[in-house]
Amino acid sequence: MATLEAGTLAPDFTLPKLDGHKVSLTQLLKHGPVVLAFFKVSCPVCQYAFPFYERLFHANQGANATVLGISEDGLRHTADFRREYGVTFPIAIDDEANHYAVSTAYGLTNVPTLFYIAPSGEIEVSSVGWSKLEVEEVNAKLAAFREHKPPILWRKGEDVRDFRAG
């Protein structure tokens, strides 16, 4: 199965978060759009992308939207990744103990994989690997949802790659 594409209804899920509480897509969508960022801690492209996803999260706080990381690793390694890369948004665990059920339902082929899910539950952006353009598209959708101009994600003079395969 290929990664789910834009126009597809996002499969619901319930997963444990790092803090021990459960999170479900249905509950998150009641508050607004959801950005899912799937990753593995050993993935160099994930290590590159997640500090930028953190910027996306901070730039759109208060937007009644959720950014949720979904780790394919266990609690300890995921907590270490979170600290090392400065991730403050919530992270759920979809590891071997869960048989990677959510990653499978979303058709993951590579990580990182980023999805923007509208409040209707429809996937509007499906991005595999690192794509600066697709992160900008997610940023624009979050801004449009809250009826604001998209916040600036990139720092002046910063060299941000356009694409890195996952």
Side-chain angles (χ1 to χ4, degrees):
M1 176 168 115
T3 303
L4 295 181
E5 295 181 3
T8 306
L9 192 62
D12 192 22
F13 61 82
T14 300
L15 287 172
K17 294 188 304 181
L18 280 178
D19 65 9
H21 294 94
K22 299 266 186 193
V23 62
S24 77
L25 182 61
T26 299
Q27 288 301 99
L28 295 175
L29 288 171
K30 290 179 182 178
H31 304 289
V34 175
V35 177
L36 300 179
F38 288 82
F39 71 102
K40 288 192 75 57
V41 301
S42 61
C43 163
V45 181
C46 300
Q47 295 163 3
Y48 179 83
F50 264 70
F52 294 118
Y53 297 161
E54 179 70 13
R55 285 188 200 172
L56 179 73
F57 167 68
H58 281 288
N60 290 284
Q61 280 188 315
N64 289 329
T66 302
V67 175
L68 178 68
I70 299 182
S71 174
E72 293 182 333
D73 295 287
L75 287 171
R76 185 173 59 86
H77 293 298
T78 300
D80 291 346
F81 177 93
R82 183 179 206 188
R83 272 188 302 283
E84 183 172 350
Y85 294 96
V87 178
T88 61
F89 55 82
I91 296 178
I93 304 296
D94 183 40
D95 63 0
E96 188 175 2
N98 188 49
H99 306 289
Y100 307 102
V102 178
S103 297
T104 301
Y106 279 75
L108 257 63
T109 56
N110 296 76
V111 288
T113 298
L114 189 71
F115 293 98
Y116 174 90
I117 303 169
S120 66
E122 181 180 325
I123 296 170
E124 291 188 359
V125 177
S126 175
S127 177
V128 179
W130 164 258
S131 169
K132 182 179 177 184
L133 184 65
E134 289 167 341
V135 171
E136 289 171 344
E137 182 181 0
V138 169
N139 190 43
K141 286 186 174 292
L142 289 169
F145 178 76
R146 61 187 178 121
E147 300 176 349
H148 287 289
K149 220 172 78 168
I152 296 170
L153 295 176
W154 324 121
R155 297 182 183 128
K156 188 173 183 158
E158 182 175 46
D159 182 23
V160 180
R161 290 195 177 171
D162 290 332
F163 179 77
R164 287 186 70 179

